[in-house]
Amino acid sequence: MAIKAVFFDIDGTLLNDRKNVQQSTKKAINNLKEQGIFVGVATGRGPSFVQPYLENLGLDFAVTYNGQYIFTRDVVVYQNPLSVSTVYRIIRYANDKRREISLGTASDLVGSRIIDMGTSRFGQVVSSVVPKQWAKAVERSFKHLIRRFKPQNVNGLLTLMRRPIYQVVLIATEDETENIQNRFPQIKVTRSSPYSADLISYNQSKIHGIERLGNQFGFDLSEVMAFGDSDNDKEMLSGVGIGVAMGNAEASLKDIAHYTTETNNNDGISKALAHFGLIHLEQEESFDSQDENFNKVKMFHKVMDGTTCEMPRVYENEEANHRSDFKVEEIVEFLYAASHGDEAIFNDSLVKLHAAIDKAARKVESKEHPETPLVGQVDALTDLLYLTYGSFVLMGVDPKPLFDAVHEANMGKVFPDGKAHFDPITHKILKPDDWEERFAPEPTIHRKLNRQIQHAFQRQKNNQAKTS
């Protein structure tokens, strides 16, 4: 049967681990829309979090709070708030157990600071980079933390109860799920996190929300494809025509899914849609990196060189020497800046730099090198990149806006004839005569650094106010 609607979970599915929607996913959604296929999200997140995705991606509808609140870009289709008595009992339970909770309203998820941090962009990014082998240790630490945590202000939560509450998020580990369900048989406990539980009405779920939309917009569950990665996606993936588990999904979800695709970081959505023939994946002539800074430099080289390298290759000796020459020039500039213009200090730094080169040469020559030349070059360049980031960390400087300033300046290296000019030997891109006057990045870097310094002083001032 033809697919008439496609639904995505959000965290770990529609969003990659950096909490962005991949370009391949955006293109796929546009392709589906052009074919007249409905596209929506089904998530435990609330309406306020989801609304920007509906607008920015042109989605048709959203099943939020695990089916408790459903809307399109124009109207609210369905809402089912929890009873006041149920919310009150859950608040009392959380207070007795010294557990923080958040209450999901139509406008926001309000309450726990811990939950706010866990569901924020920062918290989600941090959780995505915690190694799996640390999971048990993190969980033990988490349990210890919540036992010691001061209970929330119950009066504030009771005041919030005057508004319709569609979902309660309770801090609780996975082994507590059954106890909570037994304590509140009139609700359903579902999870998308090992550290918190979503509490909704007993007869609600993502799949029921999708079914309601199908009844209104003319599609059957068998005509739906759905994507997910967590425990609260099981019922949805098993109940639709095609249930797709992301490559990063839990093993139990992959077991019940009709198909397992690539991860949320590796174009999993577009590849699954192509696998089932809903879209056609064109072979890209050029690859994009998940590192946006790399993509900007690649754009620069495409403009200047007219083409880019799309297949990993080794630098031969002469070209490698030229690339190293470029880097050494920047290291010498770095040392000159560190000398504050003192010629004696600068010359001493250069002597030490030469000594460091000799020392590095002896170290490299004394080691065995079983790696291939390509691996060796990539390893060295990656370490350089990591060390550069480390230098910024120890300076307390955010390099992103400064990198953007340098990139914009470099894009000005096109000559009046509309072309880039190159050094005939090193192939280094040359600067037009008026480049320093029109594009030199130092003034912009100066302004952006001053802004960072001002923000740092403000943070320091705020921290001092909190402790005083």
Side-chain angles (χ1 to χ4, degrees):
M1 186 174 290
I3 295 297
K4 294 184 179 180
V6 177
F7 285 84
F8 308 112
D9 171 53
I10 293 185
D11 296 297
T13 302
L14 182 65
L15 303 183
N16 61 18
D17 286 349
R18 296 194 301 161
K19 302 304 161 188
N20 296 321
V21 180
Q22 292 195 295
Q23 287 298 321
S24 63
T25 301
K26 294 178 181 179
K27 291 178 183 178
I29 290 172
N30 289 335
N31 195 313
L32 294 172
K33 297 286 293 175
E34 289 170 359
Q35 299 176 60
I37 296 174
F38 291 112
V39 185
V41 292
T43 176
R45 293 279 198 170
S48 61
F49 182 90
V50 174
Q51 184 69 45
Y53 296 103
L54 259 70
E55 300 297 335
N56 295 335
L57 300 176
L59 304 182
D60 295 296
F61 25 61
V63 176
T64 65
Y65 287 145
N66 293 296
Q68 294 275 98
Y69 193 100
I70 306 170
F71 61 99
T72 70
R73 278 178 284 166
D74 302 314
V75 296
V76 176
V77 174
Y78 176 81
Q79 49 186 321
N80 179 51
L82 293 163
S83 70
V84 174
S85 61
T86 297
V87 176
Y88 177 79
R89 291 175 57 212
I90 295 172
I91 291 174
R92 289 299 180 190
Y93 172 84
N95 186 63
D96 291 343
K97 298 291 185 180
R98 301 174 65 84
R99 298 300 172 83
E100 291 216 346
I101 64 173
S102 285
L103 305 182
T105 70
S107 59
D108 210 350
L109 186 66
V110 185
S112 166
R113 289 167 297 169
I114 293 178
I115 293 173
D116 284 347
M117 185 184 73
T119 57
S120 68
R121 181 184 177 90
F122 171 78
Q124 293 288 313
V125 170
V126 169
S127 67
S128 71
V129 299
V130 173
K132 287 182 167 43
Q133 60 265 34
W134 292 6
K136 288 297 181 184
V138 171
E139 183 171 336
R140 286 193 297 270
S141 299
F142 177 80
K143 287 180 177 179
H144 180 68
L145 169 67
I146 59 179
R147 288 191 192 105
R148 296 169 57 100
F149 208 86
K150 182 180 178 180
Q152 285 175 278
N153 183 344
V154 174
N155 291 332
L157 294 172
L158 295 177
T159 300
L160 188 62
M161 275 178 51
R162 297 170 185 171
R163 298 157 61 182
I165 304 301
Y166 299 94
Q167 177 172 278
V168 179
V169 181
L170 170 68
I171 288 183
T173 55
E174 289 176 320
D175 56 8
E176 297 173 278
T177 301
E178 186 176 353
N179 289 337
I180 297 170
Q181 185 65 78
N182 291 337
R183 179 66 177 79
F184 299 99
Q186 75 279 21
I187 65 169
K188 176 187 285 187
V189 182
T190 185
R191 316 183 66 98
S192 58
S193 164
Y195 310 118
S196 65
D198 298 340
L199 279 53
I200 58 175
S201 299
Y202 186 75
N203 60 345
Q204 297 297 321
S205 66
K206 292 183 180 183
I207 190 70
H208 287 141
I210 292 173
E211 188 173 31
R212 285 190 172 88
L213 286 170
N215 292 336
Q216 181 165 337
F217 289 88
F219 57 85
D220 188 77
L221 287 178
S222 63
E223 299 170 314
V224 172
M225 177 185 287
F227 292 74
D229 72 305
S230 299
D231 179 77
N232 66 345
D233 297 315
K234 286 181 179 178
E235 192 175 352
M236 176 174 70
L237 264 58
S238 61
V240 298
I242 301 176
V244 179
M246 303 301 291
N248 50 287
E250 300 169 3
S252 59
L253 192 68
K254 294 178 181 179
D255 290 340
I256 60 96
H258 301 98
Y259 179 73
T260 298
T261 185
E262 293 282 354
T263 69
N264 61 326
N265 295 321
N266 194 29
D267 306 317
I269 286 176
S270 60
K271 289 177 180 178
L273 291 170
H275 174 81
F276 286 99
L278 271 71
I279 65 170
H280 174 66
L281 278 184
E282 296 181 359
Q283 293 297 320
E284 298 286 348
E285 295 180 0
S286 175
F287 74 91
D288 284 335
S289 171
Q290 292 182 15
D291 183 343
E292 288 304 318
N293 287 343
F294 173 91
N295 292 335
K296 287 179 180 178
V297 176
K298 188 173 184 179
M299 179 201 310
F300 166 75
H301 278 281
K302 190 163 188 177
V303 170
M304 300 298 165
D305 297 320
T307 185
T308 54
C309 182
E310 302 301 323
M311 177 68 69
R313 70 175 181 91
V314 172
Y315 281 112
E316 296 304 330
N317 187 64
E318 183 177 1
E319 190 178 9
N321 285 336
H322 294 323
R323 300 304 302 181
S324 298
D325 185 6
F326 304 158
K327 295 178 179 64
V328 168
E329 181 180 343
E330 302 307 325
I331 291 172
V332 172
E333 284 194 14
F334 175 76
L335 291 175
Y336 182 81
S339 74
H340 298 274
D342 186 305
E343 186 176 352
I345 295 176
F346 178 56
N347 288 333
D348 182 61
S349 294
L350 293 180
V351 171
K352 290 177 180 176
L353 177 61
H354 285 289
I357 292 173
D358 293 338
K359 178 182 176 183
R362 291 192 296 272
K363 181 179 178 181
V364 169
E365 290 172 344
S366 67
K367 294 193 306 182
E368 293 185 4
H369 293 276
E371 73 274 10
T372 65
L374 178 60
V375 170
Q377 289 181 6
V378 169
D379 177 62
L381 289 173
T382 304
D383 285 343
L384 275 173
L385 190 62
Y386 203 95
L387 287 167
T388 301
Y389 273 115
S391 296
F392 276 117
V393 169
L394 297 176
M395 291 178 80
V397 171
D398 177 6
K400 181 64 169 66
L402 312 177
F403 184 95
D404 291 344
V406 171
H407 172 67
E408 290 173 9
N410 283 338
M411 292 299 287
K413 291 182 179 178
V414 176
F415 276 67
D417 61 4
K419 299 177 181 178
H421 293 188
F422 303 88
D423 183 287
I425 298 175
T426 66
H427 197 69
K428 187 174 185 179
I429 297 168
L430 303 177
K431 301 172 183 176
D433 292 338
D434 63 350
W435 184 87
E436 292 288 347
E437 179 182 351
R438 296 180 58 196
F439 299 105
E442 285 82 1
T444 303
I445 291 174
H446 182 73
R447 289 195 303 273
K448 291 181 181 291
L449 274 175
N450 279 342
R451 192 172 298 126
Q452 291 191 29
I453 292 169
Q454 290 169 9
H455 289 167
F457 276 127
Q458 187 61 49
R459 287 195 302 271
Q460 191 177 61
K461 183 177 178 181
N462 293 341
N463 291 334
Q464 289 173 348
K466 289 179 182 178
T467 56
S468 62

